[in-house]
Amino acid sequence: MSAVLDPHGHAHGDHAHDDHHGAPAGWRRWVFATNHKDIGTLYLLFSFTMLMVGGVLALLIRAELFQPGLQVVNPELFNQFTTMHGLIMVFGAIMPAFVGFANWMVPLQIGASDMAFARMNNFSFWLLIPAAIMLVGSFFMPGGAPAAGWTLYAPLTLQMGASMDAGIFAMHIMGASSIMGSINIIVTILNMRAPGMTLMKMPMFCWTWLITAYLLIAVMPVLAGAITMTLTDRHFGTSFFNPAGGGDPVMYQHIFWFFGHPEVYIMILPAFGIISQVVPAFSRKRLFGYASMVYATSSIAILSFIVWAHHMFTTGMPLTGQLFFMYATMLIAVPTAVKIFNWIATMWQGSMTFETPMLFAVGFIFVFTMGGFTGLILAVAPIDTQLQDTYYVVAHFHYVLVAGSLFGMFSGFYYWVPKWTGVMYNEWRGKVHFWWSLISFNITFFPMHFLGLAGMPRRYADYPMQFADFNAVASVGAFAFGLAQVYFFLFIVLPTMQGKGEKASQKPWEAAEGLEWEVPSPAPFHTFENPPKLDPTATKVIG
């Protein structure tokens, strides 16, 4: 699909207003930002900061586990690190990063001038800052940070100090931010598409985000309910989860995982969208099975609501319940496999080149498939009984979330950064970042499968001698992986943000399709002030 645009990325007849529509200067531009591109940049910078904070906690965990015995921290502090690492990575790093991608790319991809609710967009970002400060600041409260695990299970949460309340409040604020961002994305996609762009002609990234936004609106209030009940148990004499008053801690698990399992897909579906944009561009082919991709994404979202108790096979569930959740979980493998098949079929006999975005996309498919297979193994209830709460589970979800979500984001960053900054990243450095990340990631998390199969429990600060070798390997890999991300920021992100590098053309990837490649690089502060004119006879699908 093509649009008739002038050199500034405006449809014809727009530029009469340009003189008073430039970007505001100084700190006001960022504090009062209502432009979707600026807010997208803020989200991405915030999420990378939180990735570094969460990463430091992960490295402290791995430093402690480098050898048996207690080296670095005591077990109480170790539990605080594991809890905060999970909360910061999920709510501070992965989710805001994908919202940043959505802010930047959704209006550009559908030919909208901005997000539907620009001021609410600003508010939803700035809510994250006090929430993050409150969450990280809980380390400095009496008794230290929450130490109940990122799932915040009762009865531990009922026994924590004041920091637990700070954590609950921070998560409420982050949840409100997510809901506002989701409403914005849904209204933008449904109401602001360029004339002629039907839903089934939208880029896959917009589709995955539309579905993700509905998921967020459905499940964030469930998390809010669970942590509010925890709060009232702690301070207002209720007994939702306190057995002494007739409550049931297992009820908390049901409520939490009803939020938690769709949440897992919230963190991976936008990555699916990015990969579905990148693979066709570097295979120089149309995406294979566009409609089936849309239906598969929707199926994953719907099925995610009926599998929550596979996290709870060891809580004394009736056999019928175990069977239902086992089969429902296995069913999710079908639409996921459809996606993987479609990506591979897109590459099949394509004229492929392996620039950094494509490397990360192929790396994503490889490691995500491995993570999916270990999830299928955990879906089998009798096997899960053995592997529950071991390092096998840690290996599984890091393969899906680190290699899945994070590699998807890296792929998207390298793919779109020429459009954001107007300069090309250094290709050689990008490849170094990819291989360094892929190899060190596998050195870190692959041995954890064996640790889990051998029975090493997660969240333990110490362990017997037989687990020492694999833990040492994993710790070395973790430090290498962390260093790779510092390298990424210093030698790839900063130079491109400063405009250092070869100037990017309007369409740096020859086979890339979509409206975002119809505007100059860098994308002007205002684009599509009048909707682009799409060719009404076009039948082809973007992305």
Side-chain angles (χ1 to χ4, degrees):
M1 287 204 173
S2 56
V4 183
L5 304 171
D6 69 17
H8 302 291
H10 303 138
H12 286 309
D14 284 356
H15 38 278
H17 311 291
D18 279 2
D19 48 346
H20 57 88
H21 271 251
W27 59 270
R28 282 185 177 80
R29 170 176 179 177
W30 302 101
V31 174
F32 301 124
T34 51
N35 183 286
H36 71 98
K37 301 177 184 77
D38 283 355
I39 293 174
T41 303
L42 287 169
Y43 266 109
L44 290 167
L45 288 172
F46 169 81
S47 67
F48 192 83
T49 307
M50 297 306 281
L51 182 77
M52 291 293 103
V53 174
V56 167
L57 295 177
L59 295 185
L60 288 166
I61 292 166
R62 287 313 320 170
E64 177 54 61
L65 293 171
F66 181 66
Q67 59 188 46
L70 295 176
Q71 281 79 237
V72 186
V73 295
N74 61 35
E76 291 77 19
L77 190 55
F78 183 85
N79 284 347
Q80 293 173 33
F81 286 163
T82 53
T83 302
M84 296 300 288
H85 165 70
L87 289 173
I88 287 168
M89 288 303 202
V90 170
F91 296 103
I94 295 179
M95 289 169 69
F98 278 134
V99 178
F101 275 101
N103 263 294
W104 246 107
M105 298 317 303
V106 166
L108 283 179
Q109 289 194 326
I110 63 173
S113 58
D114 208 308
M115 297 294 277
F117 306 116
R119 290 188 196 280
M120 185 168 86
N121 206 9
N122 174 289
F123 186 47
S124 68
F125 170 75
W126 284 108
L127 279 178
L128 290 175
I129 305 298
I133 291 168
M134 204 181 310
L135 195 59
V136 179
S138 64
F139 273 112
F140 306 102
M141 297 180 74
W150 84 273
T151 50
L152 304 176
Y153 278 2
L156 279 173
T157 44
L158 309 182
Q159 300 157 8
M160 293 279 131
S163 64
M164 191 69 232
D165 304 320
I168 287 171
F169 195 32
M171 288 172 69
H172 269 301
I173 297 171
M174 285 175 163
S177 166
S178 288
I179 290 170
M180 283 195 279
S182 300
I183 291 169
N184 219 341
I185 288 164
I186 289 171
V187 175
T188 304
I189 290 175
L190 294 185
N191 288 353
M192 297 177 69
R193 299 190 309 283
M197 183 182 282
T198 61
L199 281 174
M200 292 308 277
K201 287 182 184 174
M202 277 200 313
M204 270 309 300
F205 180 68
C206 295
W207 257 116
T208 53
W209 242 116
L210 180 65
I211 292 164
T212 301
Y214 276 114
L215 277 179
L216 272 164
I217 289 173
V219 301
M220 288 315 285
V222 178
L223 174 68
I227 56 180
T228 304
M229 285 190 265
T230 303
L231 193 71
T232 59
D233 272 11
R234 285 168 56 79
H235 296 293
F236 300 108
T238 56
S239 294
F240 292 111
F241 312 129
N242 185 357
D248 183 4
V250 176
M251 181 172 80
Y252 174 86
Q253 296 190 29
H254 278 291
I255 301 168
F256 178 86
W257 285 116
F258 190 79
F259 146 79
H261 203 81
E263 166 69 16
V264 174
Y265 294 102
I266 286 163
M267 291 189 281
I268 197 71
L269 288 181
F272 288 168
I274 292 171
I275 301 305
S276 301
Q277 304 283 138
V278 171
V279 168
F282 293 93
S283 303
R284 288 158 185 79
K285 279 175 67 186
R286 192 68 33 76
L287 178 68
F288 180 89
Y290 172 92
S292 65
M293 279 295 227
V294 172
Y295 299 136
T297 310
S298 311
S299 307
I300 290 171
I302 293 160
L303 288 171
S304 73
F305 284 101
I306 61 164
V307 296
W308 76 90
H310 67 210
H311 298 267
M312 301 170 55
F313 281 145
T314 56
T315 55
M317 195 186 302
L319 187 62
T320 319
Q322 290 190 36
L323 284 170
F324 171 80
F325 286 106
M326 183 165 97
Y327 293 139
T329 305
M330 289 177 169
L331 200 58
I332 282 199
V334 177
T336 312
V338 167
K339 287 181 161 300
I340 291 165
F341 175 83
N342 285 9
W343 291 323
I344 294 169
T346 304
M347 291 189 273
W348 180 254
Q349 295 189 328
S351 179
M352 290 168 70
T353 51
F354 291 96
E355 288 87 349
T356 312
M358 186 61 164
L359 281 178
F360 269 108
V362 175
F364 167 95
I365 294 168
F366 170 65
V367 281
F368 177 79
T369 304
M370 286 174 65
F373 274 128
T374 53
L376 210 49
I377 290 164
L378 287 167
V380 182
I383 300 178
D384 184 77
T385 306
Q386 288 294 307
L387 298 177
Q388 167 85 4
D389 264 340
T390 67
Y391 264 77
Y392 192 91
V393 178
V394 177
H396 157 65
F397 72 72
H398 281 88
Y399 262 80
V400 175
L401 286 181
V402 180
S405 300
L406 200 61
F407 280 20
M409 285 179 213
F410 286 144
S411 181
F413 170 85
Y414 286 110
Y415 183 58
W416 282 314
V417 79
K419 186 56 62 187
W420 299 346
T421 62
V423 297
M424 293 299 292
Y425 62 89
N426 183 306
E427 187 63 56
W428 187 83
R429 288 179 184 175
K431 287 190 161 84
V432 169
H433 175 225
F434 167 72
W435 287 110
W436 188 353
S437 295
L438 183 76
I439 293 165
S440 58
F441 167 81
N442 280 290
I443 291 171
T444 307
F445 293 103
F446 199 72
M448 292 185 189
H449 294 101
F450 303 119
L451 287 169
L453 288 166
M456 181 174 167
R458 62 202 268 206
R459 299 184 184 151
Y460 276 40
D462 193 8
Y463 52 87
M465 200 63 212
Q466 71 257 35
F467 301 134
D469 293 348
F470 278 143
N471 267 303
V473 170
S475 290
V476 170
F479 276 87
F481 186 75
L483 215 54
Q485 309 330 314
V486 176
Y487 170 87
F488 167 67
F489 187 73
L490 293 179
F491 295 105
I492 296 162
V493 176
L494 281 183
T496 52
M497 283 177 69
Q498 291 162 356
K500 294 176 184 169
E502 188 187 323
K503 190 156 175 16
S505 63
Q506 177 174 308
K507 192 174 177 182
W509 318 117
E510 63 198 70
E513 288 188 342
L515 288 177
E516 71 262 43
W517 307 110
E518 303 283 340
V519 300
S521 303
F525 191 68
H526 291 290
T527 43
F528 301 128
E529 289 191 4
N530 288 342
K533 299 177 178 68
L534 302 183
D535 179 359
T537 61
T539 54
K540 74 178 183 181
V541 172
I542 299 175

